[in-house]
Amino acid sequence: MTQVIELTGVTKRYDSGGTPALGPLDLGVAQGEALAVTGPSGSGKSTLLNLVAGLDKPTEGAVTVAGQRIDRLSEHELARFRRARIGMVFQFFNLLDDLTVTDNIQLPAQLTGTARRKTAARATELMELLGIARHAHVYPGQLSGGERQRVAVARALVNRPALLLADEPTGALDTASGHDVRELLVDLHRGGQTVVLVTHDMTLAEACASRTIQLVDGHLTLDSCAEPVR
Ligand SMILES: Nc1ncnc2c1ncn2[C@@H]1O[C@H](COP(=O)(O)OP(=O)(O)OP(=O)(O)O)[C@@H](O)[C@H]1O
Ligand SMILES: [Mg+2]
């Protein structure tokens, strides 16, 4: 099975000495898997996601994503890699408030130099798929939290990323909107998208994920796919 993520002997320290915020950790995620990363506050979930996204580098170990050893890339190469291969969704959406919904969604495709017509067609397709087509020309400030998160998901998917990463994507949403985003993630996983989802919410993890891991103090304490320890 093709591995989309392969972490080998990964450790992350924010200060020299002391205990690492993460690891040492070995972790593989196969193509098409939907992995939920759970664990208490401060256990290293966002640290793990940031390493996989290439937003930060490990102190030790190898991080391979979509076949690329990303811990060895320069900042410039990393930025290009991220734009082309990774889609990210955050708790607070991170949309650009002075761009319309359509322009927000198209932005990552424009940054990778995709032809204008192709980009427009892809954005339209995603807005229809995610039920936000009627908001195409409004600004994020005019939308509900759930609608904004759909826009953020569409933006994350515009370049057909090998990997969709989501850090607490329902954390800022009311129950109904959270439910909608949950259904959306389930659909994306069914469609074959590889997803890594960080969440405190076990209901979300159980609904969306084909596999759940738990971190405590930077260590893997549970992996629903692992052989039981005897
Ligand atoms: N940029 C940073 N500089 C220094 N320490 C950091 C930094 N980012 C995280 N840490 C520390 O690393 C540990 C893991 O943090 P991380 O943000 O990965 O936890 P988390 O599991 O995502 O928590 P939460 O559920 O609260 O979001 C914590 O002890 C945190 O204080
Ligand atoms: Mg976090």
Side-chain angles (χ1 to χ4, degrees), residues 14-15 21 39-48 56 167-168 198 200:
Y14 291 103
D15 48 8
S41 185
S43 59
K45 304 182 297 296
S46 295
T47 299
L48 172 63
D56 207 350
D167 198 346
E168 299 282 1
V198 166
H200 281 103

Side-chain angles (χ1 to χ4, degrees), residues 67-222:
Q68 176 105 38
R69 213 22 228 277
I70 64 168
D71 56 289
R72 289 178 171 164
L73 297 180
S74 68
E75 286 306 315
H76 180 72
E77 289 167 329
L78 267 179
R80 203 166 54 186
F81 171 82
R82 262 200 311 273
R83 280 202 297 264
R85 309 299 282 145
I86 308 273
M88 277 201 91
V89 177
F90 303 91
Q91 182 171 0
F92 296 106
F93 327 126
N94 293 16
L95 297 170
L96 296 175
D97 287 335
D98 49 1
L99 295 184
T100 65
V101 164
T102 303
D103 289 343
N104 264 284
I105 295 170
Q106 290 186 354
L107 193 61
Q110 284 163 352
L111 291 173
T112 51
T114 309
R116 199 175 269 272
R117 194 153 21 109
K118 244 178 144 176
T119 300
R122 174 70 174 151
T124 303
E125 173 187 75
L126 283 167
M127 286 188 283
E128 279 165 11
L129 186 71
L130 304 192
I132 47 175
R134 69 185 183 284
H135 303 305
H137 302 295
V138 308
Y139 292 86
Q142 296 164 262
L143 299 177
S144 72
E147 289 162 346
R148 284 185 216 195
Q149 198 58 299
R150 285 171 176 268
V151 176
V153 172
R155 180 182 59 180
L157 294 174
V158 74
N159 286 335
R160 303 180 196 276
L163 183 58
L164 178 67
L165 302 177
D167 198 346
E168 299 282 1
T170 62
L173 301 179
D174 58 50
T175 312
S177 302
H179 185 265
D180 285 352
V181 169
R182 193 167 87 198
E183 293 302 301
L184 173 56
L185 291 171
V186 171
D187 285 347
L188 291 172
H189 169 51
R190 284 202 188 115
Q193 177 70 51
T194 311
V195 180
V196 176
L197 164 75
V198 166
T199 184
H200 281 103
D201 179 353
M202 287 310 290
T203 324
L204 178 68
E206 277 161 23
C208 296
S210 54
R211 175 183 174 195
T212 301
I213 62 172
Q214 185 185 52
L215 292 175
V216 175
D217 295 335
H219 296 290
L220 206 58
T221 53
L222 181 151

